[in-house]
Amino acid sequence: MIESEVLLQGYRLGVFPMAMEDDSIAWFSPDPRAIIPLEDFHVPHALRRVARKKVFEIKIDNRFGEVIRGCAKRNDTWINDEIIESYEQLHELGYAHSVEAWCDEKLAGGLYGVAVGGAFFGESMFHRVRDASKIALVGLVDHLRGHKFALLDTQWITPHLQQFGAVEVPRAQYLKMLRRAVDLPRKF
């Protein structure tokens, strides 16, 4: 297991762990770094229609273990047992969180990440029902805005995240944003 304080210090410094194919743990600090500017978050039109139908209910930290395991359940994953155990410990300490989309009283999808100060580091998403992880992301952004968070780190950019307004910033700029954000007195 990765010690919780090591994980937290890594996030404060802009690095995060991933399991490799041989189950070893490597640390990463991408340059450029992907973020979603909270003030520029964009909800695609079709997803807005889904949200208005109120098919999903958003819950926070209701099933963290099930969420991280749902994220790990794919052919190509960087989430091994050591990562799961490490983040479950962070969850117990109040730093790792899940945002869940529920449909018909069942977990339909969600995401998990780590909150330090006014920064949230998104780790992974999964869905069992179409659009559930996207609705969870909308729920996360609403929650972060409501709690006056300053930074939503998505690590790398993907076409999936670009539709929500994700952008890349150079590492030097990211580290300045990170230092300001982690020093903010915020509670998730």
Side-chain angles (χ1 to χ4, degrees):
M1 181 170 86
I2 305 167
E3 293 299 320
S4 295
E5 192 48 49
V6 171
L7 273 172
L8 293 171
Q9 187 61 15
Y11 282 106
R12 288 182 197 107
L13 296 173
V15 298
F16 56 88
M18 296 177 72
M20 309 311 313
E21 285 185 20
D22 65 358
D23 271 344
S24 66
I25 301 294
W27 292 81
F28 295 87
S29 180
D31 189 11
R33 187 72 165 246
I35 63 167
I36 296 177
L38 293 168
E39 64 279 4
D40 296 331
F41 184 71
H42 170 73
V43 180
H45 183 71
L47 190 62
R48 239 184 254 138
R49 280 196 306 256
V50 171
R52 277 196 298 266
K53 291 180 183 176
K54 305 252 187 232
V55 172
F56 297 102
E57 177 187 3
I58 296 296
K59 295 182 183 183
I60 294 177
D61 289 338
N62 195 49
R63 294 273 173 81
F64 182 86
E66 194 173 340
V67 170
I68 193 170
R69 284 170 178 78
C71 292
K73 194 179 268 187
R74 55 182 71 155
N75 292 335
D76 186 24
T77 185
W78 56 268
I79 304 169
N80 66 5
D81 290 340
E82 183 177 2
I83 294 285
I84 290 170
E85 184 182 1
S86 301
Y87 283 82
E88 285 182 324
Q89 178 66 33
L90 268 190
H91 174 67
E92 289 174 22
L93 295 172
Y95 291 99
H97 301 280
S98 60
V99 178
E100 308 147 7
W102 289 72
C103 181
D104 297 327
E105 297 184 29
K106 293 182 181 141
L107 180 61
L111 59 86
Y112 80 96
V114 175
V116 179
F120 188 86
F121 307 89
E123 285 296 326
S124 191
M125 308 168 77
F126 86 104
H127 70 277
R128 296 175 180 152
V129 175
R130 183 181 174 161
D131 294 327
S133 62
K134 296 175 190 170
I135 292 292
L137 179 59
V138 172
L140 170 67
V141 170
D142 287 345
H143 187 81
L144 295 177
R145 286 174 169 169
H147 288 81
K148 298 189 181 344
F149 271 61
L151 179 64
L152 174 52
D153 177 349
T154 65
Q155 301 171 347
W156 283 287
I157 199 145
T158 65
H160 176 73
L161 293 172
Q162 282 180 305
Q163 70 181 318
F164 294 100
V167 297
E168 292 180 318
V169 295
R171 182 184 291 126
Q173 180 184 348
Y174 169 78
L175 291 174
K176 287 178 188 170
M177 297 167 73
L178 176 64
R179 279 191 293 276
R180 284 193 297 269
V182 298
D183 286 341
L184 293 171
R186 302 291 186 266
K187 294 283 185 207
F188 187 82

